[in-house]
Amino acid sequence: MKKIYLSDAGPKVSPAIYGFYRWHEVDNKAMAMEKNINLCLELGINTFDHADIYGGYECEELFGNVIAQGTVKREDLVIFTKCGLLEPHPSRPDIRIRHCNTSKDHILQSVNNSLKKLRTDYIDIFLLNNLDPISNLEETALTLQRLKESGKVKNIGVVNFSVFQHQLLASYLKAPLVTNHVELSLLNTTALDNGQVDYSKQRYMRPLASAPLAAGEIANGNTEQAVRVRSKLQEIGKKYNADQESIAVAWLVKLGALPLIGTTSEQRIRNIVNAFNIDLDNQDWYELYNASRGI
């Protein structure tokens, strides 16, 4: 896959990005990790999205163990990780409730832990995972700025920020934000309808679309919306000789979003990659959008 700029400030990434946000559901994570990394690299995906909490706080270390084997060079990879959102887990008895923490101390501790677990000296893109409304945002921004200046973090981004939250953090930062992760699919167009996608474009960034296949609901969901969208996908898929999931992701690509892959299914990953061979006709794009909205 030809690498593209994530924003006008960089960096270059693969057009599809693999994320570990659903790995709490994965059994035998160590074996699955190596298999998925190798499959992604085979398909031209060199960009991987982590968070301290993913996979029950295990995924960063498992990924680092695979990279430490030396079969792929660190400089050939683009690594995202993030902190902010914390979830209860047996390995973290100190966390009683799902909450956000973007304090200076927590960010610094998280970055250092991530660097150690990922076996790397730098993080290509470090993201705030949701906004902590009771944080000292000026201190948070200064911490992020200093991490970037230190070289530990090359770029800064955010996850699930509203337009106003995005504007608020950016007002405190000297460095540009390079992306906003938002949930976006034909079964959830909220980020398109509420201006998050438009604002990302205004800031010359590409939004990352998490759950591009709606956690499998596009293929298997039984809601009225899912059935309606699936029927339209199958109809249009015949025109392009493509799987319905490939068409669903091509709809996102046409919008300028980068799909953030969360599945461990090899076929589903291949369907997502195949989307980049499809250039949807404008009217086909709107047919799908209208099917999503029930128009």
Side-chain angles (χ1 to χ4, degrees), residues 21 182-193 197 208-219 225-226 229 233 245 247-253 255 257-260 285 288-289 291-293:
Y21 53 97
V182 294
E183 185 172 343
L184 182 62
S185 73
L186 275 166
L187 299 189
N188 184 350
T189 63
T190 301
L192 174 59
D193 302 329
V197 170
L208 266 66
S210 65
L213 297 175
E217 288 296 298
I218 280 179
Q225 182 195 35
V229 167
L233 285 167
E245 292 184 333
I247 297 295
V249 175
W251 184 85
L252 292 168
V253 173
L255 187 60
L258 306 185
L260 186 58
W285 189 93
L288 290 165
Y289 189 31
S292 173
R293 296 183 292 171

Side-chain angles (χ1 to χ4, degrees), residues 16-190:
I17 295 167
Y18 191 87
F20 297 92
Y21 53 97
R22 288 177 55 195
W23 274 55
H24 58 283
E25 306 169 358
V26 175
D27 296 323
N28 198 350
K29 291 183 180 65
M31 183 179 294
M33 180 66 70
E34 184 167 11
K35 178 182 177 183
N36 270 55
I37 291 173
N38 289 334
L39 173 62
C40 286
L41 294 175
E42 172 197 328
L43 295 174
I45 300 169
N46 77 328
T47 307
F48 297 90
D49 177 63
H50 289 274
D52 50 0
I53 63 173
Y54 287 171
Y57 296 85
E58 290 185 299
C59 279
E60 288 181 320
E61 188 166 12
L62 293 172
F63 186 90
N65 291 343
V66 174
I67 300 308
Q69 296 173 11
T71 55
V72 60
K73 295 179 180 179
R74 169 64 182 92
E75 57 267 28
D76 293 335
L77 302 176
V78 181
I79 297 177
F80 292 57
T81 197
K82 58 186 79 70
C83 82
L85 185 63
L86 291 164
E87 295 180 335
H89 189 267
S91 67
R92 294 295 305 271
D94 55 312
I95 300 172
R96 296 185 291 108
I97 189 172
R98 192 174 192 263
H99 69 285
C100 288
N101 183 348
T102 56
S103 66
K104 172 185 175 181
D105 289 345
H106 181 65
I107 291 172
L108 292 176
Q109 182 182 34
S110 294
V111 167
N112 287 331
N113 286 343
S114 292
L115 290 170
K116 181 179 178 181
K117 289 180 177 181
L118 290 165
R119 310 276 192 103
T120 184
D121 297 325
Y122 64 94
I123 297 163
D124 294 284
I125 303 99
F126 183 73
L127 307 107
L128 280 190
N129 196 358
N130 291 270
L131 181 68
D132 176 8
I134 57 175
S135 67
N136 180 335
L137 198 58
E138 187 172 3
E139 182 181 79
T140 296
L142 183 60
T143 303
L144 293 171
Q145 190 70 43
R146 287 178 174 171
L147 282 168
K148 187 175 188 302
E149 291 166 358
S150 75
K152 288 184 177 181
V153 168
K154 301 297 185 183
N155 300 276
I156 303 166
V158 294
V159 180
N160 294 326
F161 272 45
S162 70
V163 171
F164 290 120
Q165 289 171 337
H166 196 151
Q167 290 173 329
L168 179 60
L169 178 60
S171 71
Y172 286 106
L173 281 169
K174 294 179 183 177
L177 295 170
V178 299
T179 191
N180 187 8
H181 287 206
V182 294
E183 185 172 343
L184 182 62
S185 73
L186 275 166
L187 299 189
N188 184 350
T189 63
T190 301

